[in-house]
Structure formats: structure tokens, C-alpha cells
Amino acid sequence: MKGLSLFRCFLPLPAQQQLWAQCDTLAHGAVPMYTPTVRGGRPMSVGMLCLGRHWNALTYGYEPTRSDFDQAPAPPIPASFRELAARAAEQAGFTFAPDICIVNYYNETSRMGVHQDKDEQRDALEAGIPIVSVSLGDTARFVIGGLARRDPTSPLMLHSGDVLVMGGPSRLRFHGVTRILAGTAPEGTGPGRFNLTFRQYGLRPNEQ
Ligand code: MD3
Ligand code: FE
């Protein structure tokens, strides 16, 4: 299917190390990473820190402050993060102005069940505005399916420094993370894995 671009080693090692350190600092900062509890009451196995706008794990909606956790405002996305995502999207043929960055932390037992990302505005989803994903640290076994949950999935290993752009007809494909390969993180990253997903909420950048 079109709309999927994988840029292997988009970030050279020094940039991976710098971005890892920035994520680590943010995760332990004034508005820290936390473990979301989803609808039904189960905790997610990943840590989450949303920048720009907060994704509420109970409502599956976006909001300015973390009303499902500590009422803290979502910290801003560093300009250098936004520029990295926009540069990758441009290489994949998309114009992209991300206003949300979700930083997830995976330890060696974390997983992400197969799901669709469809909580952004309908006009942005229909336009196929991409999600840009940056992987850091341990390798993940990622699976990508089709537009229906029962469609078959294909595995893809995501390594530190890889960037995946999912737009156009691929924007609503089902996908998940089935396992983390502990001990595979390059020097100066890890342990574990940070994944950054950049999103644009609306068709017009920065609209509510
Ligand atoms: C394919 N994270 O945070 S990123 C997520 O590797 C999430 O941590 C996975 O799924 C991870 O929501 C995958 C790559 C990705 C992101 C969005 C997609 C792949 C996608 C949207 C549509 C299809
Ligand atoms: Fe996802």
C-alpha cells in the first residue's frame, strides 16, 4: 500500500544519543512521563508523555491538560523535534506541521496491541496527513496490517534511528508492537526504547 516510507538510520548515532538524552530529561521533568490507565481500567505497559496536546487514555480525545492524570498542561514540543518530523515527512512527499508529539517508553516487557490511530480530526485523517515515528534505543518488532482489523499483518523490525512515515492511504492501517529486543540499544541510548509519534491534529495546522 502506498503512503508508507521507512527511512533506515535517518538519525546518525550522535543525533540518536542527543535525542535519547532529551527524551530522558523530559520524561523526568516537571511534567513527567506516567503510566496511562485505559478504558476498562487496565494500565498500559508503556510510559507516555504527550507534548503539544495530551491524549486522554479514558476518552481517547486530545486536550490541553492531563485531566485523566494530574491536571498538568502538556509541555510544548521542542522546535528541533518538530523540525526533524517535518523534514522526514517532506522526504516522504508530505507537507506536515505536527502539533502533537507522543513520547512512549517501552521496557523489555512492554507491548502495544494492534490498533488504529484515529483520534485526530476527521479532515486530517481523510486528507491522509501523516504520522511520523522516530525509534530510539532497543529494537522493536512492529507489525503492520491493513484497513480492517482481520487483515493479515507483516512484521518489520524498527531499529534505533529509524523513521517511519505513514500517510495517505496508509494513515489508518492497523499496527502494533509485539516485542522489544532487550539489549539491542546502541551505546548512549537505552536501556529500553523511546518511540516518538508526531501528529497533526487538524487539516489546518494548530486548529482546535
Ligand atoms: C502505521 N507506536 O504510538 S510507531 C503509537 O513503534 C504506535 O511504538 C508504534 O503505534 C511504536 O500509536 C508504532 C509507527 C506508526 C505510527 C502510526 C501509524 C505506524 C503507523 C499509523 C498508521 C499506520
Ligand atoms: Fe499507533
Side-chain angles (χ1 to χ4, degrees):
M1 203 180 299
K2 285 183 41 157
L4 181 159
S5 300
L6 172 57
F7 299 112
R8 292 266 184 218
C9 212
F10 188 82
L11 294 177
L13 183 60
Q16 294 171 37
Q17 292 166 331
Q18 183 183 29
L19 189 53
W20 180 278
Q22 289 171 307
C23 290
D24 203 50
T25 298
L26 281 168
H28 298 99
V31 180
M33 180 167 276
Y34 76 108
T35 304
T37 297
V38 288
R39 296 195 288 229
R42 268 178 58 98
M44 292 177 74
S45 70
V46 298
M48 188 172 88
L49 174 62
C50 301
L51 308 176
R53 208 182 281 243
H54 176 69
W55 181 77
N56 184 313
L58 297 176
T59 62
Y60 285 26
Y62 286 99
E63 58 192 19
T65 59
R66 311 202 294 190
S67 73
D68 61 331
F69 183 56
D70 62 359
Q71 320 309 318
I77 308 175
S80 60
F81 285 32
R82 275 210 306 263
E83 286 157 12
L84 163 66
R87 186 162 61 85
E90 188 178 312
Q91 280 198 32
F94 295 100
T95 301
F96 186 44
D99 48 12
I100 301 161
C101 172
I102 302 184
V103 182
N104 284 140
Y105 177 77
Y106 296 74
N107 66 26
E108 58 190 78
T109 63
S110 302
R111 305 281 181 272
M112 190 168 289
V114 171
H115 65 277
Q116 268 178 317
D117 288 273
K118 56 177 183 190
D119 300 329
E120 296 74 30
Q121 276 199 340
R122 189 162 57 194
D123 58 2
L125 298 175
E126 285 174 352
I129 291 179
I131 288 183
V132 171
S133 144
V134 179
S135 293
L136 296 171
D138 284 337
T139 299
R141 184 177 184 274
F142 167 79
V143 292
I144 173 89
L147 297 176
R149 187 174 284 280
R150 52 161 197 181
D151 290 343
T153 60
S154 309
L156 202 59
M157 300 308 260
L158 295 179
H159 302 101
S160 192
D162 290 352
V163 172
L164 192 58
V165 180
M166 297 291 206
S170 287
R171 180 61 178 77
L172 290 174
R173 289 171 74 177
F174 280 86
H175 60 278
V177 174
T178 58
R179 74 183 214 95
I180 300 296
L181 280 64
T184 56
E187 183 187 343
T189 73
R193 173 176 188 257
F194 279 125
N195 178 261
L196 291 74
T197 51
F198 292 90
R199 300 142 194 266
Q200 183 178 319
Y201 185 66
L203 188 51
R204 311 183 51 173
N206 293 307
E207 82 187 338
Q208 302 293 0

